[in-house]
Amino acid sequence: MSEGNGTMTTRDDVIDFIYAETRMLDEGRYTEWLDLWLPDAVYWMPLDYKQADPVNATSFLYEDNFMLRLRVERLNGERTFSQKPKSRCHHVIQRPFVDLFEPEAGRFQTVTNMHYVETRLDEQQLLALTVTHDLAMVDGAFRIAGKKVELLNCDAAFGNIQLLP
């Protein structure tokens, strides 16, 4: 059930959630985006291609709720001088694949290929990504239980990624 109102959760509901999350990031609505996360969820960006272990191997990012909150606080901060002017981003996403659909258990997983553009001043970087979302249905609403962002060219040298692909 999606809202406790007798309607069934559909694959399109799951896909619409991914589009909505991406739009929040593009529009800089980071506090609203952070509210989508479960308290024990982790945002992971592996360093190596097809990396399986986020704990015993180095990653670009491996952020729990505390670290995500610090990041969002910095992005929203008026006194964050490294963000004057603020970075902006744009996601161009392929329709997400729903690889796990267990509405009775409230568990879902999507895989989405996308291009991510981040820009600030005269600098712009384009990243090709595959994003896996682990979602849970909590009190009739989707929540992010985990997010893994895999860079296609993860073995390349990168500048700073300021925002959240």
Side-chain angles (χ1 to χ4, degrees):
M1 300 292 178
S2 63
E3 309 260 340
N5 61 6
T7 61
M8 294 299 293
T9 300
T10 67
R11 289 178 181 271
D12 283 340
D13 294 332
V14 177
I15 291 166
D16 287 348
F17 176 84
I18 300 302
Y19 283 120
E21 186 233 5
T22 302
R23 183 176 182 184
M24 285 179 198
L25 292 171
D26 285 350
E27 293 176 354
R29 295 184 286 148
Y30 304 117
T31 302
E32 186 179 349
W33 172 81
L34 193 57
D35 290 340
L36 299 176
W37 289 74
L38 289 172
D40 59 346
V42 173
Y43 186 106
W44 179 33
M45 187 181 293
L47 179 63
D48 293 320
Y49 185 71
K50 300 294 182 186
Q51 181 177 332
D53 185 353
V55 176
N56 297 308
T58 304
S59 298
F60 285 114
L61 290 173
Y62 187 72
E63 297 188 353
D64 61 9
N65 192 276
F66 176 77
M67 293 303 296
L68 284 174
R69 289 195 180 284
L70 284 178
R71 180 180 291 273
V72 167
E73 184 177 302
R74 182 182 63 80
L75 291 172
N76 287 336
E78 292 300 317
R79 298 184 67 171
T80 307
F81 299 110
S82 66
Q83 280 294 292
K84 291 197 185 294
K86 291 194 178 287
S87 299
R88 295 180 301 278
C89 70
H90 187 85
H91 296 76
V92 179
I93 72 172
Q94 174 182 320
R95 181 178 167 87
F97 295 101
V98 179
D99 286 356
L100 176 69
F101 185 76
E102 296 179 355
E104 301 81 20
R107 294 183 21 195
F108 310 89
Q109 186 179 73
T110 64
V111 174
T112 310
N113 295 312
M114 65 179 70
H115 289 168
Y116 170 79
V117 178
E118 186 172 300
T119 184
R120 183 172 173 272
L121 297 172
D122 292 336
E123 294 184 24
Q124 178 171 294
Q125 61 181 325
L126 169 66
L127 304 173
L129 314 170
T130 299
V131 179
T132 302
H133 282 86
D134 291 309
L135 305 175
M137 182 68 71
V138 178
D139 297 327
F142 290 112
R143 302 285 300 278
I144 300 171
K147 183 173 179 178
K148 179 181 179 183
V149 177
E150 296 176 277
L151 297 166
L152 181 63
N153 62 335
C154 59
D155 43 4
F158 289 101
N160 292 333
I161 300 171
Q162 293 290 320
L163 303 178
L164 296 152

